[in-house]
Amino acid sequence: MSDHQFLNYIGGEWVEGSGTDPIPDINPADTREVIGHATDSQAQDVDAAVAAAKEAFEDWRSMTPPSRGKIVQAAGRLYEQRAAEIGEVLTREEGKILAEAKGEVQKGANLVDFLSGEARRLNGETVPSEIPNTFAYTVRCPLGVVGLITPWNFPMAIPAWKIAPALVAGNTVVLKGAEQTPWTTQLVVQAFIDAGVPPGVLNIVQGRGATAGAALVDHPDVAAISFTGSTEIGRHIWARGASLGKPVQCELGGKNPIIVLDDADVALAVAATAKGAFGSTGQRCTATSRAIVDRRVHDQFVEELAKAAAQVIPGNGLDPRTTMGPSVDKEQFGKVQEYLEIGAAEGVEVICGGRRATDGALEYGLFTEPTLYTGVTRDMRVAREEIFGPVLSVLEVDGIEEALDVANDVEFGLTSSVYTADVNRVFRYIDKIETGMLHVNSPTIGGEAQLPFGGMKKTGVGPREMGKTAIEFYTEWKTVYIDYSGGFRGGNLY
Ligand code: NAI
Ligand code: MG
């Protein structure tokens, strides 16, 4: 078995970190397989990466935005060409099934493609001045060196959707990818290198959050941090950024509901719920984790969903028969198992699952049976906290008002969906729901490159990622006043 080494990329060179404790990259579908090791970076490695990014900044920002956009666009094309290779690596180290992994690479390609086009649209505004002979306008400018800290659940798409707008806007980047997915991180950056990003413009530090990640947040030459991950770490980084006077963008947790009303197409709602709850093993920030179902269709919904759950085939994502992969690592798996105990202790009714899956080869992986709970009430922890596993809680309600009330009764507000055929209810839902993205008669998951992505309430802070809004976090505005009176009538010195 080959032991791949995943190194840092600093100033155009692949280099080892200075720490002594490399991080094992383990296949979660079979934890006996150690794919390789990521180098262990310390504060001094982060210093070197930030210094390289700082040095590269002046030339990169001086390049015209369309020229930067061309390089970024070329990286997107390479993703498309390399979808099979990147997808396979992603499946091996993260666990999601190959179809999902390749879909993620395609999504990354779409994002990079869309965002590269923003290079030709880095527009400001011309604004009329109240002072005679004065031209007033706004222009965007980059921030400098930006730090990107990313999670394992979309190890290709999330770095891509942060790197592309950062570079297009003229920033240079230091990326700290997730410990669990160092190979994918490497491939994400390799495409940008091959596309012609100059040395120092895009750097990786592989390493742990508490060392490499924290050093990046704290570094005085890092102008801003964009983070996706847990609520706990996100709030910590946000607070740290505030104390250092540094802008922070965070995309954190979700507890996304699907609302199924009494006039819903129940079969469609069931299919959407199964996809949202068990797809990617529930390890999406947009995963469906609550079904809020009208009592008139509750029993039918639960019965059909149990059938759909029984069809799920857990296993190694490289096997084309598999429809659901494992939890990403022992820690995440342990968290899911802990919630199964919490659910049992809270007195939920377990319709299916509720256990580790260990049949045959599953024994060597971190698999949980797709789990369906009924009898869940809104005060229970399984109805309020992000589990990030294939666990769905069904809450029974009476009508749309109670459904909306329950849906909004959590601290998160990322995404949601409603199933109904009634246009009045559709608009009532759109008006009242407290989520940043919402779906009518489609699953809670997914998001297209050209549309903003992000949540309300405690789900995050900072401008939306993806879409045209992605550029916001990575630019500052300059407001310019030009007096062109040239002494005519004594100038405008009043
Ligand atoms: P995490 O927040 O610990 O890790 C995310 C990234 O932050 C990683 O690159 C990590 O190395 C880095 N990091 C960790 N501590 C840091 C620190 N002190 N300073 C700077 N960087 C640091 O998330 P984790 O532990 O992987 O997952 C825990 C839970 O978070 C999951 O069970 C899930 O509920 C949630 N999560 C949500 C995600 C989302 O898409 N919104 C993505 C991943 C996790
Ligand atoms: Mg963590």
Side-chain angles (χ1 to χ4, degrees):
M1 202 174 298
S2 52
D3 186 5
H4 295 273
Q5 301 300 314
F6 306 113
L7 300 180
N8 294 335
Y9 186 72
I10 297 177
E13 310 276 347
W14 293 100
V15 291
E16 270 187 61
S18 53
T20 52
D21 187 14
I23 307 166
D25 183 11
I26 294 168
N27 179 349
D30 183 342
T31 56
R32 296 169 301 178
E33 186 194 353
V34 179
I35 298 163
H37 285 82
T39 198
D40 173 22
S41 301
Q42 301 294 314
Q44 64 207 77
D45 307 307
V46 172
D47 288 348
V50 174
K54 193 179 173 187
E55 203 190 315
F57 176 61
E58 211 37 62
D59 282 352
W60 183 247
R61 72 169 290 195
S62 305
M63 205 175 205
T64 65
S67 307
R68 292 195 298 259
K70 274 188 186 156
I71 295 176
V72 171
Q73 187 182 44
R77 297 224 174 89
L78 291 174
Y79 286 144
E80 237 159 17
Q81 286 165 22
R82 298 174 186 177
E85 178 201 350
I86 301 175
E88 200 174 311
V89 166
L90 212 169
T91 293
R92 271 179 77 194
E93 62 181 7
E94 199 270 350
K96 67 178 65 175
I97 63 171
L98 198 52
E100 289 168 340
K102 285 188 193 157
E104 180 182 340
V105 181
Q106 183 58 52
K107 180 170 177 175
N110 296 348
L111 283 154
V112 172
D113 185 49
F114 172 78
L115 290 163
S116 70
E118 288 304 292
R120 292 185 185 274
R121 286 184 291 267
L122 282 178
N123 305 333
E125 278 185 310
T126 61
V127 181
S129 170
E130 61 189 36
I131 307 165
N133 302 315
T134 296
F135 175 49
Y137 73 101
T138 59
V139 64
R140 288 183 189 273
C141 61
L143 308 176
V145 179
V146 296
L148 311 180
I149 300 178
T150 52
W152 44 264
N153 64 330
F154 283 89
M156 195 275 154
I158 295 176
W161 85 48
K162 293 184 194 292
I163 292 169
L167 294 186
V168 158
N171 302 281
T172 54
V173 170
V174 177
L175 166 68
K176 211 301 278 172
E179 291 90 319
Q180 297 86 343
T181 51
W183 197 351
T184 307
T185 304
Q186 187 174 300
L187 295 177
V188 167
V189 169
Q190 188 67 54
F192 280 94
I193 299 169
D194 296 342
V197 168
V201 169
L202 174 57
N203 308 275
I204 317 177
V205 284
Q206 303 273 16
R208 294 183 173 83
T211 47
L216 186 59
V217 172
D218 284 1
H219 200 293
D221 288 334
V222 172
I225 294 284
S226 179
F227 171 85
T228 301
S230 65
T231 302
E232 181 200 350
I233 300 296
R235 284 185 190 168
H236 165 74
I237 292 176
W238 182 10
R240 190 75 198 133
S243 71
L244 297 168
K246 188 177 288 198
V248 172
Q249 174 185 50
C250 291
E251 203 266 287
L252 311 171
K255 192 70 191 172
N256 310 302
I258 188 165
I259 297 174
V260 184
L261 298 177
D262 61 355
D263 64 336
D265 181 328
V266 174
L268 271 188
V270 164
T273 307
K275 200 168 173 202
F278 309 134
S280 296
T281 324
Q283 299 180 126
R284 300 174 191 229
C285 49
T286 58
T288 312
S289 60
R290 296 180 294 154
I292 299 170
V293 185
D294 190 283
R295 62 183 177 82
R296 294 161 197 87
V297 289
H298 175 273
D299 292 356
Q300 181 195 351
F301 176 84
V302 169
E303 192 181 316
E304 291 182 24
L305 187 58
K307 282 186 201 148
Q311 308 279 306
V312 172
I313 304 168
N316 188 323
L318 293 175
D319 181 340
R321 285 167 304 182
T322 299
T323 61
M324 190 180 81
S327 290
V328 71
D329 67 2
K330 284 209 167 102
E331 190 183 336
Q332 185 58 38
F333 178 70
K335 182 180 165 188
V336 175
Q337 300 305 307
E338 200 181 314
Y339 273 103
L340 297 180
E341 283 166 27
I342 291 168
E346 286 181 315
V348 302
E349 192 181 337
V350 184
I351 300 296
C352 60
R355 282 182 312 223
R356 175 173 194 173
T358 52
D359 278 1
L362 298 185
E363 174 192 351
Y364 301 111
L366 304 168
F367 295 97
T368 301
E369 291 179 0
T371 297
L372 179 54
Y373 289 156
T374 58
V376 179
T377 54
R378 58 162 98 184
D379 49 292
M380 290 181 182
R381 287 183 63 192
V382 293
R384 310 190 71 79
E385 297 171 14
E386 186 173 58
I387 300 175
F388 237 52
V391 182
L392 180 82
S393 294
V394 181
L395 295 97
E396 189 173 340
V397 293
D398 188 6
I400 183 170
E401 297 308 323
E402 193 189 352
L404 289 168
D405 196 35
V406 170
N408 288 336
D409 191 17
V410 290
E411 64 173 346
F412 300 116
L414 186 58
T415 171
S416 62
S417 74
V418 73
Y419 276 73
T420 178
D422 179 340
V423 69
N424 297 327
R425 288 166 160 190
V426 167
F427 279 93
R428 179 77 181 150
Y429 158 77
I430 294 167
D431 191 32
K432 283 284 165 189
I433 195 75
E434 296 167 353
T435 60
M437 295 172 290
L438 33 131
H439 300 259
V440 176
N441 295 321
S442 66
T444 62
I445 53 176
E448 294 186 37
Q450 66 279 17
L451 286 150
F453 181 94
M456 295 169 68
K457 303 204 294 197
K458 304 274 169 65
T459 283
V461 61
R464 294 282 188 268
E465 302 193 74
M466 296 169 44
K468 283 164 79 89
T469 50
I471 226 77
E472 298 297 336
F473 183 71
Y474 299 100
T475 52
E476 285 280 14
W477 286 110
K478 281 182 177 167
T479 302
V480 185
Y481 297 87
I482 301 171
D483 177 337
Y484 58 87
S485 61
F488 175 67
R489 274 187 278 135
N492 290 324
L493 298 173
Y494 54 86

